[in-house]
Amino acid sequence: MIRLKNDDQIAKIRKSCHELADLFNEIIPRVKPGVSTKEIDDWCVEFVRKHGGKPAWYSEGFPGCACTSINDHVIHGIPSKHDIVHDGDLVSLDIGINLDGYISDSCHTVMVGNVRPEHRKLVRVTREALLAGIGACVKGNRLSDIAKAVTEICQNQNGYGVVYDYCGHGVGLDVHEDPSIPNNYPFRGANPRIQPGMVLAIEPMINEGTADVITGDEQSEWTVVTADGKWSCHEEHTVAVFPDHTEILTDLDYNGNSCLKGSSF
């Protein structure tokens, strides 16, 4: 069942989302060669607790505040003191905050140091696809319009694999709510119209090569990796749908000048 949010609920979700944006603005510059993913996670936990929140993933049983996925790890990388960030890495940070029962969810892939041109392109295209998906997330459209926008940019124009085993979702009152939002098109399953009051986490997960993934690597049943060992990128925003626009609640510059080219569509 899709849970439509009222203005008061959206305001409280927005507050959680703005806290998450502040966290990213503080943490991203600290993701440098030599730091461990456990150090990154510790910084995130400290920030969230200092600002009165709780790491959202704890309620799902995930052993970390930030899913830290490096290079061929698609999602759900578990923070570890043994996983060290190196020059040239792509580090995806997927973080959620529970602030007084209201959930925010966002992911950004950090390019560390001297990233190869082909990997910079992967990040650029994934960010473009996220914006295109959000641009299609307006009242009256269907979820398939989001998937069409992502697939057109990533697969049809650039030949990347659009992960189909995992997708976006409703969010705000729980970590994962209906509806599921596939990024690949066409897809099977529910395809409801987008309505005011929906709060959605839109999150393209895009692979350099095949769209196929393997769940559960040698370290963890959580971690998802690319089936061919090529690299992956993950970008995500929480958005709220209104009658006349869609707002990016987790915009990194939520005062209006977005780091991703615009805070509403």
Side-chain angles (χ1 to χ4, degrees):
M1 180 181 72
I2 296 173
R3 303 165 74 178
L4 300 180
K5 282 74 173 179
N6 59 38
D7 288 345
D8 180 64
Q9 290 170 321
I10 291 175
K12 292 173 180 176
I13 296 166
R14 182 186 290 112
K15 183 177 179 181
S16 176
C17 289
H18 287 183
E19 181 174 304
L20 182 54
D22 288 342
L23 186 158
F24 272 109
N25 284 325
E26 180 173 305
I27 293 300
I28 286 174
R30 301 171 74 175
V31 181
K32 297 179 179 180
V35 306
S36 71
T37 58
K38 180 64 166 58
E39 287 178 280
I40 296 170
D41 193 66
D42 288 344
W43 295 334
C44 292
V45 171
E46 180 182 7
F47 181 98
V48 171
R49 290 179 172 165
K50 178 180 177 181
H51 291 82
K54 302 175 184 176
W57 309 157
Y58 288 177
S59 67
E60 299 279 286
F62 183 79
C65 177
C67 298
T68 52
S69 306
I70 300 177
N71 300 339
D72 66 329
H73 288 196
V74 182
I75 51 173
H76 301 164
I78 292 180
S80 169
K81 65 181 180 180
H82 302 294
D83 290 334
I84 306 300
V85 175
H86 297 95
D87 183 66
D89 281 348
L90 299 183
V91 182
S92 296
L93 303 176
D94 188 357
I95 307 170
I97 295 175
N98 180 336
L99 186 63
D100 300 322
Y102 295 91
I103 310 298
S104 53
D105 187 1
S106 187
C107 180
H108 296 294
T109 296
V110 183
M111 295 182 284
V112 181
N114 299 297
V115 175
R116 293 167 64 103
E118 61 267 32
H119 297 146
R120 288 187 173 274
K121 179 185 175 183
L122 175 65
V123 175
R124 174 179 59 79
V125 170
T126 304
R127 290 176 177 173
E128 290 176 0
L130 173 60
L131 286 174
I134 294 171
C137 181
V138 294
K139 174 189 173 183
N141 277 1
R142 293 189 180 273
L143 297 185
S144 59
D145 292 303
I146 300 173
K148 284 180 186 177
V150 172
T151 297
E152 174 60 26
I153 289 174
C154 293
Q155 179 178 296
N156 298 348
Q157 296 181 16
N158 289 281
Y160 293 142
V162 180
V163 173
Y164 52 84
D165 285 332
Y166 297 89
C167 57
H169 51 89
V171 70
L173 303 181
D174 284 308
V175 171
H176 291 99
E177 303 177 18
D178 290 333
S180 295
I181 310 171
N183 295 298
N184 60 301
Y185 181 85
F187 63 83
R188 295 181 179 179
N191 187 25
R193 289 199 182 277
I194 297 166
Q195 305 175 57
M198 284 185 171
V199 177
L200 306 172
I202 299 175
E203 51 178 322
M205 291 154 273
I206 307 301
N207 297 343
E208 254 192 306
T210 180
D212 297 336
V213 299
I214 299 171
T215 303
D217 68 1
E218 69 280 359
Q219 296 177 343
S220 162
E221 64 181 11
W222 281 95
T223 305
V224 177
V225 301
T226 62
D228 58 6
K230 293 186 177 181
W231 288 17
S232 186
C233 180
H234 182 194
E235 292 283 333
E236 176 184 18
H237 271 308
T238 295
V239 306
V241 180
F242 294 92
D244 59 349
H245 72 288
T246 294
E247 178 184 350
I248 303 177
L249 300 177
T250 48
D251 197 341
L252 293 181
D253 181 355
Y254 50 78
N255 291 313
N257 300 310
S258 174
C259 296
L260 291 178
K261 304 180 185 176
S263 60
S264 62
F265 292 84

